[in-house]
């Protein structure tokens, strides 16, 4: 997954980000994370459809959400955001209600992609990539196979000081929620406080909070066990086959990155054409082969080679298995509690 995690409430983001950027309404404007689609995708789309288009990069969900909320979605046509943020856009009335007749390639999606809790039937969002969060580790350095979130949160002596955790609110708290047997969308203040205390203790054993370079730390040996999105663990596996990925026995979250057409888009036909273009078997397979994340496109996944799947075994997790994990959802006002709790954890000595 591109760098894309949740750290602030939508309202606080508005204050932080200010007014939206001025963009060219005459061109299709797509906002995505850097490197999250093929470098020539915009050019290929324009050549295939005749629509002019431009790509605007955002670093995080929070960054693009601040701009979208401030502008009420004006100035953008298609945005890539994680599913809880797609829910926010829908709840704010900023997401277009999708006409599937204009998205013929949506037929390529697995049936399970239409069963996602945040948007059953894909009424306002189209899933682009999906996966799990688990443990990524050096099998040549860690004794045995880690199989519990507590292997990360209370590591063995030999591993202590060589672990990292994802830094952003939902995933940092998610590890604690799962370790405690709670929902990854838990909003009970008492349970959140329990998780805060657990994560404060875990902090004493960490090498670092790290959302971006943890796999490199594994490759170098600086870290031996890290909290990771499955695709990013694959980046490490690509460089060192002793790196492995495992979903702890307590489970994982199901994360989903989506494409959303903005209701205030001034280029609706071009926006539909773009989403349809991405859902093409060949175009969508690019994401699996290059980002190393699973995509919910059946013919795209069926086209992956046996050698590729053997190298990245977490790519073989089935859609049925993915739906067995609890999906991260918009937690509304509880996001303020999450942000405050994570601040307390990071400030703790």
């Amino acid at each position: 997954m591109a760098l894309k995690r949740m750290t602030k409430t939508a309202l606080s983001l508005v204050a932080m980000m200010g007014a939206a950027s001025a963009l060219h309404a005459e061109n299709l404007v797509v906002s995505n994370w850097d490197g999250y689609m093929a470098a020539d995708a915009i050019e290929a789309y324009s050549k295939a459809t005749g629509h002019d288009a431009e790509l605007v990069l955002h670093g995080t969900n929070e960054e693009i959400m601040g701009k979208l909320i401030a502008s009420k979605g004006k100035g953008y046509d298609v945005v890539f955001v994680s599913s809880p943020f797609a829910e926010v856009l829908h709840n704010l009335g900023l997401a277009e209600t999708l006409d599937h007749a204009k998205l013929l390639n949506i037929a390529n999606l697995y049936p399970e992609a239409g069963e996602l809790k945040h948007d059953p039937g894909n009424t306002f969002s189209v899933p682009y990539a999906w996966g799990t969060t688990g443990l990524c580790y050096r099998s040549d350095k860690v004794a045995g196979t880690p199989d519990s979130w507590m292997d990360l949160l209370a590591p063995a002596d030999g591993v202590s000081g060589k672990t990292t955790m994802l830094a952003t609110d939902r995933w940092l708290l998610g590890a604690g929620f799962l370790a405690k047997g709670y929902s990854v969308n838990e909003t009970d203040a008492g349970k959140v406080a329990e998780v805060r205390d657990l994560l404060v203790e875990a902090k004493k054993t960490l090498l670092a909070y790290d959302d971006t370079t943890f796999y490199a730390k594994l490759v170098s040996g600086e870290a031996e066990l890290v909290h990771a999105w499955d695709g990013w663990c694959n980046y490490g596996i690509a460089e060192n086959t002793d790196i492995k990925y495992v979903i702890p026995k307590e489970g994982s979250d199901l994360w989903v990155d989506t494409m959303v057409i903005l209701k205030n888009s001034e280029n609706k036909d071009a926006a539909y054409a773009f989403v349809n273009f991405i859902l093409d078997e060949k175009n969508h397979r690019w994401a699996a082969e290059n980002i190393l994340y699973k995509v919910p496109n059946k013919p795209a996944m069926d086209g992956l080679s046996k050698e590729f799947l053997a190298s990245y075994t977490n790519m073989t997790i089935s859609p049925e298995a993915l739906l067995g994990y609890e999906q991260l959802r918009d937690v509304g006002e509880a996001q303020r509690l999450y942000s405050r709790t994570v601040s307390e954890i990071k400030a703790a000595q």
Side-chain angles (χ1 to χ4, degrees):
M1 165 182 334
L3 178 59
K4 68 182 189 62
R5 306 299 184 180
M6 295 165 274
T7 59
K8 301 289 183 185
T9 65
L11 291 176
S12 67
L13 287 166
V14 174
M16 291 169 57
M17 297 308 302
S21 301
L23 297 170
H24 303 294
E26 64 270 21
N27 289 343
L28 179 81
V29 177
V30 177
S31 190
N32 198 351
W33 297 281
D34 191 14
Y36 215 40
M37 60 186 184
D40 65 349
I42 292 293
E43 180 181 352
Y45 158 79
S46 295
K47 185 176 180 179
T49 65
H51 295 296
D52 292 331
E54 64 179 297
L55 173 65
V56 178
L57 299 179
H58 57 260
T60 64
N61 280 306
E62 292 86 345
E63 179 184 338
I64 186 60
M65 289 295 290
K67 293 178 179 178
L68 294 174
I69 294 171
S71 70
K72 299 187 184 305
K74 294 181 179 178
Y76 295 87
D77 300 293
V78 180
V79 295
F80 287 68
V81 292
S82 299
S83 60
F85 293 90
E87 276 192 279
V88 172
L89 292 174
H90 172 66
N91 292 336
L92 292 175
L94 300 180
E96 173 78 354
T97 300
L98 297 176
D99 180 353
H100 286 197
K102 297 180 180 179
L103 295 172
L104 297 181
N105 287 335
I106 204 167
N108 287 336
L109 295 181
Y110 290 105
E112 290 83 356
E115 300 173 12
L116 295 165
K117 299 293 186 183
H118 80 282
D119 183 18
N122 309 125
T123 63
F124 60 85
S125 64
V126 177
Y128 176 69
W130 55 3
T132 60
T133 311
L135 302 178
C136 188
Y137 66 102
R138 284 285 298 262
S139 62
D140 57 332
K141 294 181 179 294
V142 175
T145 301
D147 66 353
S148 168
W149 285 105
M150 292 309 298
D151 290 326
L152 174 73
L153 301 180
D157 289 343
V159 182
S160 183
K162 299 177 181 178
T163 60
T164 70
M165 291 191 72
L166 299 175
T168 40
D169 295 14
R170 297 301 301 270
W171 280 269
L172 177 57
L173 293 177
F177 287 143
L178 289 164
K180 287 281 190 179
Y182 299 151
S183 164
V184 294
N185 300 303
E186 181 60 63
T187 59
D188 179 87
K191 293 179 178 177
V192 173
E194 284 183 45
V195 168
R196 176 200 59 204
D197 294 345
L198 173 64
L199 295 178
V200 166
E201 286 301 307
K203 181 182 178 183
K204 298 173 184 175
T205 68
L206 286 179
L207 171 66
Y209 294 114
D210 189 342
D211 281 355
T212 56
T213 64
F214 52 83
Y215 66 92
K217 288 184 172 70
L218 282 176
V219 172
S220 70
E222 184 181 10
E224 296 182 358
L225 174 65
V226 303
H227 182 197
W229 301 297
D230 47 9
W232 282 49
C233 185
N234 286 338
Y235 302 159
I237 293 170
E239 297 187 42
N240 185 331
T241 56
D242 287 323
I243 295 175
K244 308 293 182 185
Y245 178 78
V246 63
I247 296 174
K249 60 187 178 184
E250 299 91 345
S252 169
D253 66 276
L254 164 59
W255 61 260
V256 183
D257 289 339
T258 73
M259 297 179 282
V260 175
I261 296 175
L262 277 304
K263 184 167 287 185
N264 280 329
S265 163
E266 297 179 11
N267 304 288
K268 290 282 178 64
D269 288 342
Y272 274 106
F274 178 82
V275 174
N276 198 56
F277 172 82
I278 292 296
L279 292 174
D280 172 82
E281 171 188 347
K282 178 181 177 183
N283 295 333
H284 215 169
R285 186 183 305 144
W286 181 94
E289 292 177 332
N290 292 275
I291 303 172
L292 305 183
Y293 280 154
K294 292 176 288 297
V295 298
N297 185 314
K298 187 176 188 306
M301 292 297 289
D302 287 347
L304 298 175
S305 71
K306 292 181 180 178
E307 294 77 12
F308 179 87
L309 294 174
S311 296
Y312 307 107
T313 55
N314 60 57
M315 298 287 287
T316 65
I317 298 174
S318 69
E320 294 88 345
L322 285 177
L323 261 61
Y325 298 115
E326 185 182 19
Q327 191 178 352
L328 293 175
R329 302 292 305 277
D330 173 24
V331 292
E333 287 300 310
Q335 181 61 41
R336 295 179 184 273
L337 172 62
Y338 282 16
S339 296
R340 185 170 66 250
T341 300
V342 169
S343 294
E344 291 171 356
I345 294 167
K346 291 182 178 176
Q349 299 298 315

